[in-house]
Every structure is written in C-alpha cells, then in structure tokens.
Amino acid sequence: MNSKPKFANRVVIITGASSGIGKETALTFAREGAITILSSRSKDKLDLVADEARKFNPNVRVIPADVSSQAQVQALVSAVVEEFGRVDVLINNAGSAATGNIESSNFVKDIRELFEIDYLGKVYCAQAVLPLMRQQGNGFIVNLSSVVGRKAFPGFAAYSTAMHAISAFSDALRQELEGTGIQVATVHPALTQTNFFEGFAQEEIPASFRYMTPLPAAIVANKILKTVLNKKARCIIPWQPRLVILGDSLSANLGDLVVRLLKNRIFMRSIGMYKGSTYQLSNPQKSNVSENPASNRS
Ligand SMILES: NC(=O)c1ccc[n+]([C@@H]2O[C@H](COP(=O)([O-])OP(=O)(O)OC[C@H]3O[C@@H](n4cnc5c(N)ncnc54)[C@H](OP(=O)(O)O)[C@@H]3O)[C@@H](O)[C@H]2O)c1
C-alpha cells in the first residue's frame, strides 16, 4: 500500500469486479486503503480477486449479485450498509457485450439483455445507494459507458445504444444531484483488453476495432481512480476518440468519416491508436459466422 492511502476507511463498491476493468479498479482502490466491496455473479472468481486485493489491504469483502436483479442489488447495498454504515463510492461497472447488425435476428434479444444488465443494472445500483448518500451529504457514483456511448459504431448498435443510454442517465443524474454533495462521473474507455469479447469469434468483433491496440485494463482503472480523486464529471480514455466525438458534433457525415477511418491501419498508426498489437480473444468461439455477419451472438 502507498504510505498515504487516498481512500483509507472509504467504502467503495465495485460491480463487475471479477474480471477486466472492474478487477483492476478493485485492486487500485484496495491499494489506496479503501474498504473494497467486490461484486459480480461469480463468487469463485471474486474470491480470487479478493485474495489479490488483500495483499494490499485486509478490508475486502465479496458480495455476489446479479445487477439485472433489483432485489439482488438492494441486498448487496443493504449488506454493505449493515456492516459499514456508509457507501462513499459506487463504481457502476458490470456489463456485457453484443455485436451484430441491426437486421440481425438476435438484435432485439441482444438489446433487451444489454438494457437489463448494462443499463438497468447501473440504474438499480445508483438508486440503491442514493438515499444513503443523500443522508451522508456526500458520495461518488462512477458510471462506465464507452466511446461508443458518444458515437455509435456499425455492427455494434445494441451495445452502442445501451452505452448512449448510460451517458444520458449519468448526465441527467449529475445535474439532478447538483448541490447535494454527491458527484457523478461518466467514464468512456476505448477498446480495452479484458474478457469483454470472450467466446466471440474473431469476425464477430466490429471492424472498427481491427487496427485498434486495446488499452490495458490497469490504465483504465487508474483513470477511474483519478476521476474520483479530481471530482471529474467525464473521462474519455485515451484522448484520440475525442476526434470522433468532435467530428460528429460538427456533422454526422464527418463523424461517420472518422469512424470509417478507424478501419485504416495507416490512420490508426498516425494517431497513435495502433501500436502493432490488436485485441486478443482469450477464449474464442469457433468461427461459424458468415462473411457479412447479419446475425451474431450476444
Ligand atoms: N473492454 C472494453 O473494450 C470496454 C470498453 C468500454 C467500456 N467497457 C465497459 O467496461 C465495463 C467492464 O467491462 P470489461 O471490459 O472489464 O469486461 P469483462 O472483463 O467481461 O468484465 C465484465 C464484468 O461484469 C460482470 N457482469 C456481467 N454481467 C453481470 C451481471 N448480470 N451482474 C453482475 N455482474 C455482471 C462480470 O462478472 P460475472 O460474470 O462474474 O458476473 C465481470 O466481472 C462494462 O460495463 C463495459 O461495457 C468495456
């Protein structure tokens, strides 16, 4: 642990802490002395993360919950309140992916699932901690969206739509809580090397990611920590996706052009988003999709 931990005795809940960005964020807050509450559906995986986190700090708890169940989210927060009496930071991170075109036969099913988990899961968690944070007169909620929560990518519409919904929810919540002492931030990472696309076939990954070198999850976790420390309202990681967002704010056609350029290796190298490596599937599904994937899995 650092000599002066920045979150000593602060109660921090991290959803989706069994893997990827959530796991690294949990380790980062544990290193900073936080009472770290790890949640996701898989207790076994959470226990392994907890073992790692306890090397920095013994104040780690595992409380499994499926964020798509409002009752399980309420039970998670109640258990934390019962033991610690407060929640200082909620990292609203749990989520899953779906790819495929809007004409895909899976699209409606995918979008329903993503709204249940990625979107409503975050709404349930925020609603569960807010009464307590209001009583405390302070608190910090970090909502994980994505770069595609600002500009949608083709072949990634269900996920992009859910991420836009999170951005809007987070933006409105921040303004509704003005003057309460409760801060809200939205974090928009670009492609990050995690288990996010685990089980997908290579050709199911949107073409916009073909020449994108993914961010390490630890870098995203560190930015999340800094977002809370510096009370920022929005964090886009890294800086280059601002080009897409800026282009899109000027004209939809310009935004679309920048998204098309993401498939160009020379462009990606020139803006520093392609550094020679690309997203690695840890457990790829056997390739069984057509050349033009109109119907990919969630
Ligand atoms: N990787 C990227 O490129 C990227 C980019 C931008 C934003 N994001 C966002 O970052 C967040 C974390 O993703 P990641 O990349 O770290 O993916 P990941 O490695 O697949 O981790 C996802 C986490 O969410 C948990 N989870 C999934 N469904 C859940 C549910 N119904 N209830 C509770 N927990 C659930 C998983 O744990 P269990 O399976 O144990 O439940 C896991 O801990 C997501 O919100 C994602 O949208 C990711």
Side-chain angles (χ1 to χ4, degrees):
M1 199 197 300
N2 294 343
S3 54
K4 256 188 147 188
K6 298 183 181 73
F7 284 87
N9 301 319
R10 297 282 166 195
V11 179
V12 180
I13 300 178
I14 299 119
T15 67
S18 64
S19 157
I21 293 170
K23 172 185 170 182
E24 291 300 329
T25 304
L27 296 177
T28 302
F29 276 92
R31 248 182 244 121
E32 292 295 344
I35 297 168
T36 311
I37 316 295
L38 313 180
S39 191
S40 84
R41 294 164 303 182
S42 328
K43 185 175 181 313
D44 292 357
K45 289 187 195 167
L46 290 172
D47 284 339
L48 293 175
V49 179
D51 287 346
E52 266 190 72
R54 287 193 185 104
K55 289 178 191 155
F56 309 116
N57 171 359
N59 286 325
V60 179
R61 297 287 184 280
V62 165
I63 308 179
D66 182 334
V67 293
S68 67
S69 157
Q70 198 167 12
Q72 289 190 32
V73 166
Q74 196 54 59
L76 157 68
V77 174
S78 298
V80 175
V81 174
E82 194 172 319
E83 183 168 4
F84 300 106
R86 56 185 299 112
V87 174
D88 295 290
V89 182
L90 165 67
I91 309 291
N92 232 342
N93 166 77
S96 60
T99 66
N101 294 345
I102 292 166
E103 291 165 87
S104 140
S105 56
N106 283 338
F107 185 75
V108 171
K109 176 182 155 286
D110 287 347
I111 210 160
R112 280 208 177 101
E113 276 179 20
L114 289 183
F115 268 82
E116 285 292 332
I117 300 168
D118 295 42
Y119 175 67
L120 282 175
K122 292 184 176 68
V123 175
Y124 296 152
C125 290
Q127 285 190 331
V129 298
L130 276 170
L132 182 70
M133 287 185 173
R134 278 189 182 273
Q135 273 178 28
Q136 293 169 183
N138 59 54
F140 206 117
I141 298 174
V142 177
N143 294 313
L144 262 288
S145 176
S146 160
V147 167
V148 300
R150 301 298 299 279
K151 171 69 180 171
F153 286 4
F156 211 24
Y159 181 75
S160 300
T161 308
M163 294 301 113
H164 270 71
I166 293 165
S167 303
F169 153 72
S170 198
D171 208 31
L173 184 64
R174 189 186 65 253
Q175 295 171 78
E176 287 180 15
L177 293 173
E178 200 184 338
T180 62
I182 306 167
Q183 315 277 324
V184 178
T186 323
V187 174
H188 302 265
L191 184 66
T192 306
Q193 185 61 57
T194 65
N195 293 331
F196 192 56
F197 287 119
E198 192 174 65
F200 282 67
Q202 192 65 49
E203 52 274 60
E204 290 177 300
I205 298 187
S208 310
F209 297 138
R210 192 178 297 152
Y211 294 115
M212 205 178 280
T213 295
L215 296 161
I219 299 272
V220 178
N222 197 37
K223 289 282 186 188
I224 291 172
L225 181 88
K226 287 193 170 142
T227 297
V228 180
L229 277 176
N230 300 328
K231 297 187 165 49
K232 282 177 70 177
R234 182 179 291 153
C235 174
I236 297 166
I237 321 167
W239 65 267
Q240 291 92 332
R242 288 170 191 266
L243 297 173
V244 181
I245 297 163
L246 180 66
D248 199 60
S249 69
L250 297 173
S251 110
N253 289 338
L254 189 54
D256 294 357
L257 173 66
V258 184
V259 172
R260 280 201 298 281
L261 282 171
L262 300 181
K263 290 185 275 182
N264 183 295
R265 187 164 54 88
I266 295 165
F267 174 77
M268 291 299 273
R269 201 185 270 286
S270 72
I271 63 167
M273 284 204 77
Y274 176 61
K275 296 168 184 157
S277 61
T278 53
Y279 189 90
Q280 295 301 304
L281 284 166
S282 54
N283 180 20
Q285 188 196 45
K286 249 191 157 171
S287 172
N288 60 359
V289 288
S290 64
E291 192 59 23
N292 178 17
S295 176
N296 291 344
R297 61 180 289 286
S298 62

